[in-house]
Amino acid sequence: MASNVPLRNLLSLVQNRSLKTSTVPPNTSSPSSFTVQYLLSSPGLHLESVHSVSQKLRIDESDLQNPHYVIGFLKAHDFKDAHIAKLIHKWPAVLHCKVEHNLKPKFEFFIENGFVGEILPELIVSNPDVLRRALDSRIIPCFELLKSVLGCSEKAASAFKRCSVSMMSAMEPNIDLLIKEGVPVDRIAKLIMLQPRTIQQKHQRMVYAVKALKDLEIDSKTTVFIHALRVMLQMSESTWNKKVEVLKSLGWTEEEILQAFKRCPFCFTCSEEKIRSVVDFLVNTLKMELRTVIGRPEFLMLSVDKRIRPRYNVLKILESKKLVIGKKNMKQLLTMRENNFFQNYVIKYADKVPGLLEAYEVLPKQ
């Protein structure tokens, strides 16, 4: 595919750019110097990025046809200047790709399978790994496996954008393991759609996580199993043990900790520091009983500064002004939707209580 810009015009542009850029020497005798000047003429690249890319790429002054051809091919497939700049920054060697033998067959496959319009540049820029992998032995099997589980090309395309093709070999044995352990295919599909790279963990890691959940007696047919699996795969055994020890130090028994994980697996994604700060505020400031906190492990995921303290401040002020009669159920107030709390406890009384908005500190998202 011929470019719209004649080669001599490109060279002229390179020379003009080099004269205007004081940090790039005009001498084009060395390959690295010419590479920098060529990249300066490429769409959207900033100088800092140019120098970074030039350390990983060499462009020969006597052979500009291929990189020029690559850029023209990308533009013909809806790549904007910003797309091309990001792609070159992430994988400079794209400029050395052979269009006919590498790019064109892969682009045709993607287009045939739903990557059309802006979706195609988004796929390539977010995951340039697909251009480095073999079409027949890696890309097609990966895509077909996703489609067989997810049921259609559209969903497969959505998941494929967030997959690592280089880790495709782990996907099939992991799916087979989950099916063997009784996880329904629709749950596996949900896992892939939520976080496709979870299914691409090393197989031994997946075996370990599934066994751990079985030992905790979490039913593989439930949605909780999928959530727990995601969390378990994110953590090393040492990280798990640290969080268990923190909760024990706060008065939780091991049985209570395991029950909390089974009820709300994502509470274990909180850092040890956050766990301590939430429990401390709930128990020592709100005077909430520890058994109440243990029974609502989702509280651990709330932000002290953005959710718990602002609502507590508002309630204290309203009680002091006798605008709220009787002790309100703090459990309900903490889990109430942001807009509902804001409307019913802040806006409703803002005219009567100067400074109430300031006490609340956090305004709801529009």
Side-chain angles (χ1 to χ4, degrees), residues 29-36 38-39 50-64 66-67 92-96:
S29 59
S30 73
S32 61
S33 175
F34 183 80
T35 299
V36 169
Y38 179 88
L39 293 171
V50 164
H51 281 294
S52 172
V53 171
S54 68
Q55 301 304 309
K56 309 169 189 174
L57 178 73
R58 288 292 181 270
I59 295 176
D60 191 336
E61 185 174 359
S62 63
D63 184 20
L64 289 174
N66 198 77
V94 66
L95 292 177
H96 289 321

Side-chain angles (χ1 to χ4, degrees), residues 239-299:
T239 300
W240 169 273
N241 290 335
K242 285 178 184 177
K243 294 182 182 183
V244 168
E245 290 306 313
V246 166
L247 289 168
K248 283 183 176 179
S249 72
L250 294 170
W252 300 43
T253 67
E254 190 163 315
E255 179 61 27
E256 289 168 340
I257 293 169
L258 296 181
Q259 288 301 317
F261 177 73
K262 291 166 73 171
R263 177 169 178 168
C264 180
F266 290 120
C267 71
F268 267 67
T269 62
C270 301
S271 68
E272 295 96 288
E273 181 183 359
K274 176 174 170 56
I275 291 172
R276 286 186 185 279
S277 66
V278 171
V279 174
D280 176 69
F281 197 92
L282 293 177
V283 173
N284 297 319
T285 302
L286 270 63
K287 305 303 179 184
M288 190 177 288
E289 292 186 8
L290 180 59
R291 65 180 181 180
T292 300
V293 180
I294 294 172
R296 301 293 295 270
E298 61 271 23
F299 284 170

Side-chain angles (χ1 to χ4, degrees), residues 196-237:
R197 294 203 179 198
T198 299
I199 208 73
Q200 294 186 303
Q201 296 278 340
K202 290 182 179 179
H203 186 60
Q204 283 306 114
R205 179 70 182 156
M206 182 67 75
V207 170
Y208 162 80
V210 169
K211 182 180 184 303
L213 297 182
K214 285 177 65 179
D215 291 343
L216 292 175
E217 299 181 348
I218 299 178
D219 188 350
S220 63
K221 294 180 174 60
T222 64
T223 301
V224 170
F225 183 90
I226 292 299
H227 296 325
L229 182 64
R230 290 174 61 189
V231 174
M232 190 66 72
L233 287 170
Q234 291 176 21
M235 285 192 297
S236 65
E237 188 173 352

Side-chain angles (χ1 to χ4, degrees), residues 74 79 87 91 94 97 102-103 106-107 110 124 127-134 139:
L74 294 174
F79 279 67
L87 179 57
W91 189 43
V94 66
C97 279
N102 185 337
L103 301 184
K106 292 173 184 175
F107 274 52
F110 292 136
I124 303 298
N127 192 3
D129 188 51
V130 297
L131 299 183
R132 292 193 286 261
R133 305 300 166 183
I139 295 173

Side-chain angles (χ1 to χ4, degrees), residues 8-9 37 39 59 86 114 125 141 180 214 228 238 252 329:
R8 60 174 175 271
N9 287 356
Q37 293 181 46
L39 293 171
I59 295 176
K86 287 180 182 177
V125 171
K180 178 183 174 183
K214 285 177 65 179
S238 62
W252 300 43
N329 187 331

